[in-house]
Amino acid sequence: SGIRNDINMSDSNNLNTVNQNNNQNNAVNSNNNNNNSNNNNNSNNNMNINNRFNGSRKSISGSYSRQSNLDHYSVKNQFEQETNQTLNEDSVSRLKEFFNNGPYNEGFTLISHRSAPNGFKVAIILSELDLPYSTILLDFNKGEQRAPEFLTINPNGRVPALIDHSNRDQNVSIWESGAIILYLVEKKLKEFGSCSIWSDNLVEQSQILSWLFFQTSGHAPMIGQALHFRYFHSINVPSAIDRYTDEVRRVYGVVEMALAEKREAVIMEMDAENASSYSAGLTPLSQSRYFDYPVWLVGDRCTIADLCFVTWNYVVDRIGIDLKSEFPEVFKWTKHIMRRPGVLRALKGNE
């Protein structure tokens, strides 16, 4: 909420979609909780169902024209019998129609949900790279994330997933947000020779990937657990709430320290005439005219290391974390990211 209140009005008007998405998290997380419960009780059954797709699915890519050979009704019936979940008929037909008749010649299809931070994270990368894409928003209330057509491209039944229609030999599907992001920037680099939010330098790539993996394994999951135990767990478990909220704070502490070190280096370099005063402690860094200058996690430009964090930064106020007061560098960093045209385009939605 601190970030939302401090971004200027022109920025805030462009972010209405994000704020509306955050207001819908209760319904989405409730649906996810129910799905998780069913998944835990029926994981073996789901594996058996997924095995039925092996004749028409490759682990990473597949030709979706072959899916017309699937007996969708028998798969649907077995799924409902073995998992006690109902797949909405209209949803199954909608996804079946897309996979049988989708646009296979160019661009990308992002499969997401209207309030999924990881889905918007991928949309941001697509937008930043100026890649053409359309979006399918799954309806979790209708069980679309468990429709056979979707499970053929993401056996985990979660969003986001991405289909690349530009491959002439076969459509390529990728799931897990980190894998999708890496695929997109590598594709851009190889096809165009450069990628502004990635690097062709191995050392810099490793630094960027360290932050990307840190975000996907430590940042997003801990926020998700904190939200779950605070709002959706069947019983109140204060120790769990405290444990995950404290871990989110620890994660932000890591990011805050990295950004603060970058801030000091920038001020010392760009405000050289006052560097000795800053070093001696006679003048606080906050008095430098470069105190609000953009700093980034890797190098001197925004990369996927920075962009992957931003959509999750908008929900931490719901677990009692105030970025502006607790992590001021993270707060400023987020504001700079949110003003990027590519980010704003993605968060407005592309349906």
Side-chain angles (χ1 to χ4, degrees):
S1 59
I3 295 175
R4 299 188 194 103
N5 291 335
D6 282 69
I7 294 179
N8 61 44
M9 285 301 295
S10 63
D11 293 330
S12 297
N13 289 336
N14 286 327
L15 299 178
N16 285 337
T17 300
V18 183
N19 293 332
Q20 291 170 0
N21 289 337
N22 289 336
N23 290 335
Q24 297 172 24
N25 279 341
N26 285 348
V28 174
N29 285 333
S30 178
N31 291 331
N32 287 340
N33 188 40
N34 291 334
N35 289 335
N36 288 337
S37 177
N38 288 326
N39 291 341
N40 290 336
N41 292 330
N42 298 285
S43 59
N44 291 331
N45 292 332
N46 288 343
M47 290 177 62
N48 292 333
I49 295 170
N50 287 334
N51 287 336
R52 300 190 59 175
F53 303 145
N54 287 341
S56 63
R57 180 184 67 200
K58 297 180 180 179
S59 60
I60 298 299
S61 62
S63 177
Y64 298 106
S65 61
R66 296 177 59 191
Q67 293 193 31
S68 59
N69 297 325
L70 283 175
D71 184 350
H72 292 274
Y73 285 101
S74 62
V75 172
K76 171 179 176 293
N77 291 336
Q78 180 175 343
F79 174 85
E80 293 178 349
Q81 292 172 3
E82 296 186 3
T83 66
N84 198 30
Q85 290 182 261
T86 301
L87 294 175
N88 182 277
E89 199 70 42
D90 293 337
S91 298
V92 171
S93 299
R94 179 172 80 106
L95 293 174
K96 181 179 179 181
E97 180 180 359
F98 167 78
F99 284 114
N100 286 337
N101 304 301
Y104 298 118
N105 296 324
E106 61 181 11
F108 300 83
T109 297
L110 171 62
I111 303 177
S112 186
H113 186 270
R114 65 181 180 272
S115 59
N118 282 337
F120 279 100
K121 178 166 66 176
V122 172
I124 285 173
I125 304 304
L126 287 162
S127 181
E128 285 276 340
L129 297 176
D130 199 26
L131 295 172
Y133 73 100
S134 59
T135 305
I136 293 180
L137 299 178
L138 297 185
D139 188 337
F140 292 169
N141 290 322
K142 294 180 180 179
E144 289 186 337
Q145 76 277 18
R146 283 298 175 188
E149 289 77 13
F150 181 59
L151 292 176
T152 60
I153 65 170
N154 186 355
N156 193 36
R158 296 290 183 270
V159 296
L162 187 76
I163 304 172
D164 181 358
H165 303 292
S166 64
N167 190 311
R168 293 185 177 181
D169 297 326
Q170 59 186 7
N171 290 307
V172 176
S173 63
I174 314 100
W175 51 286
E176 287 295 316
S177 62
I180 294 172
I181 290 172
L182 185 56
Y183 174 84
L184 290 173
V185 294
E186 276 290 303
K187 180 182 177 73
K188 185 78 170 183
L189 178 62
K190 290 179 179 179
E191 293 184 357
F192 293 89
S194 65
C195 180
S196 62
I197 58 174
W198 183 225
S199 176
D200 59 0
N201 178 275
L202 181 60
V203 174
E204 195 169 55
Q205 284 182 358
S206 67
Q207 295 170 343
I208 293 172
L209 288 177
S210 293
W211 287 110
L212 176 64
F213 295 165
F214 180 64
Q215 194 281 323
T216 57
S217 64
H219 178 247
M222 294 302 102
I223 295 175
Q225 291 293 333
L227 287 166
H228 169 77
F229 281 101
R230 183 177 287 265
Y231 295 106
F232 308 113
H233 198 58
S234 56
I235 58 174
N236 183 31
V237 187
S239 61
I241 295 172
D242 292 343
R243 182 261 185 274
Y244 288 112
T245 303
D246 289 345
E247 180 61 12
V248 174
R249 282 195 168 93
R250 188 195 69 79
V251 167
Y252 275 121
V254 174
V255 181
E256 178 77 9
M257 181 61 68
L259 292 171
E261 290 175 352
K262 283 296 195 76
R263 169 79 54 212
E264 182 176 1
V266 164
I267 290 175
M268 291 299 184
E269 178 181 353
M270 301 183 72
D271 199 4
E273 65 271 21
N274 298 311
S276 59
S277 180
Y278 297 134
S279 298
L282 300 176
T283 304
L285 293 175
S286 59
Q287 292 187 13
S288 171
R289 61 183 180 275
Y290 298 104
F291 190 67
D292 289 322
Y293 190 84
V295 294
W296 311 107
L297 289 173
V298 179
D300 58 359
R301 71 191 190 284
C302 182
T303 68
I304 59 174
D306 308 284
L307 294 168
C308 66
F309 282 87
V310 67
T311 54
W312 284 96
N313 290 354
Y314 262 76
V315 299
V316 294
D317 59 322
R318 297 185 61 210
I319 59 173
I321 294 178
D322 183 350
L323 291 182
K324 185 178 182 180
S325 62
E326 297 184 54
F327 306 101
E329 287 295 340
V330 173
F331 175 80
K332 290 187 290 184
W333 172 62
T334 302
K335 287 203 300 181
H336 286 301
I337 297 173
M338 292 301 302
R339 289 172 177 155
R340 294 174 64 87
V343 173
L344 292 175
R345 284 196 304 272
L347 296 181
K348 287 178 181 177
N350 180 16
E351 300 179 36

